[in-house]
Every structure is written in C-alpha cells, then in structure tokens.
Amino acid sequence: EAIIARVAPDARVVTAHGECTDLDQRLLSFAARQADVLVCTTIIESGLDIPTVNTIVIFSAHMFGLASLHQLRGRVGRAGLQAYAVMTYPKGKQLSAESQERLDAIKLFSGLGAGFGVAQRDLEIRGAGSLLGADQSGAANGVGTELYIQMLRETMNEMRETRSISLREAADK
C-alpha cells in the first residue's frame, strides 16, 4: 500500500487476502469501482473476474510457478481492453536458472491462447515426472521431453501388444 500511496496518492485502495473475514465484501467493493486499486495475495488466481481491470503488478514474480504466473496474468484484459501484466523481482537479485526460465516463458507466451505453450514449457522446465509412479516432477529432465514421450509411447505399445506387463512394471521402467 505504501508504494501505491507514493505513486498514486489519490487512489482508493482496498486490500484482500485469505484471512480477511470480509473478503467477499472487499472484492465486491473493488468490482463495483468503490476502489481504484486492489492489493491482494494470490487469492485472485482462482477466478476473480472483473472485466474492467486492465493492469496487474506481480511483486516477486520469480517466486511463482509458471502456471500461477499465467493464471494471475489472465485476471486482466477481459473486456477487450489492452491489458498489462508487470512482473517484478528485487533489483540486483541473482535469479536461479529455473526462475529465469519461467519469467522468459511467461514473456514469450503472451498472446491469446498461450496456455498450451505455457503448459508445454512448464513441462520442459519442471519435468514430466513419473506418469505411473509416485514422483510428480523431474523424470523427463534427464532425457528431455521428446525422448521421454517417445519412451512412454514405446512402453504403452509394449503393454498393448503383450498385455503381459503390469502397471507396476511400467511404473518401474
């Protein structure tokens, strides 16, 4: 809020986060244009839809996953208005390679229908994981996404052809 007060001293500001007991009222007041700026947590990621909002500023964007950045960016520009998503990170901060890759990807896939490109890049960055096992990410990193998908196809074909391989055996491959 202090940054907003410094940049736009006349702006009417409302804050919202998961611990607000009157969260709905705060969001509704912003939607009704009783406030000019909404300062909030990622609570808006899961579906706040106010078509007249055209700008979002995401502080510490390097801390977010690619899917979250894409969802947050998608909260603005829903009424045919030009939309702006500004993503920041601390000045002079040395980003991890993965953080830099996520920010580069969100910049690259910025057009209408970018979701598929974002999802594909996220798969490449984090890895596909073990489809039939317990691991949720990382298994494709060692071999690359294309080879991982090829290996997955070969395993599935083997399962179809022989019907003798169990799901457990496939997960262990």
Side-chain angles (χ1 to χ4, degrees), residues 61-66 69 96-107 122 125:
H62 66 292
M63 302 294 290
F64 291 87
L66 188 50
L69 289 173
S96 70
E98 191 172 302
S99 291
Q100 188 63 57
E101 287 182 76
R102 287 193 305 265
L103 294 175
D104 290 345
I106 204 72
K107 184 178 178 182
D122 193 36
I125 293 169

Side-chain angles (χ1 to χ4, degrees), residues 47-119:
L48 182 66
D49 187 15
I50 305 172
T52 56
V53 175
N54 76 331
T55 304
I56 186 168
V57 179
I58 303 169
F59 290 96
S60 298
H62 66 292
M63 302 294 290
F64 291 87
L66 188 50
S68 291
L69 289 173
H70 180 65
Q71 285 294 322
L72 289 167
R73 177 180 65 186
R75 298 294 99 206
V76 297
R78 298 171 156 269
L81 301 172
Q82 175 68 46
Y84 301 93
V86 178
M87 300 183 191
T88 71
Y89 57 89
K91 186 177 182 177
K93 170 86 173 159
Q94 180 65 41
L95 299 181
S96 70
E98 191 172 302
S99 291
Q100 188 63 57
E101 287 182 76
R102 287 193 305 265
L103 294 175
D104 290 345
I106 204 72
K107 184 178 178 182
L108 177 64
F109 298 106
S110 60
L112 190 60
F116 180 77
V118 168

Side-chain angles (χ1 to χ4, degrees), residues 143-154:
V143 295
T145 304
E146 288 183 39
L147 181 57
Y148 182 80
I149 290 170
Q150 178 186 341
M151 293 167 56
L152 181 60
R153 280 191 190 116
E154 289 172 5

Side-chain angles (χ1 to χ4, degrees), residues 15-20 23 27 38-46 48 56 64 72:
T15 59
H17 51 82
E19 294 181 13
C20 292
L23 180 62
L27 296 176
L38 172 64
V39 176
C40 65
T41 62
T42 58
I43 196 155
I44 63 162
E45 179 180 358
S46 60
L48 182 66
I56 186 168
F64 291 87
L72 289 167

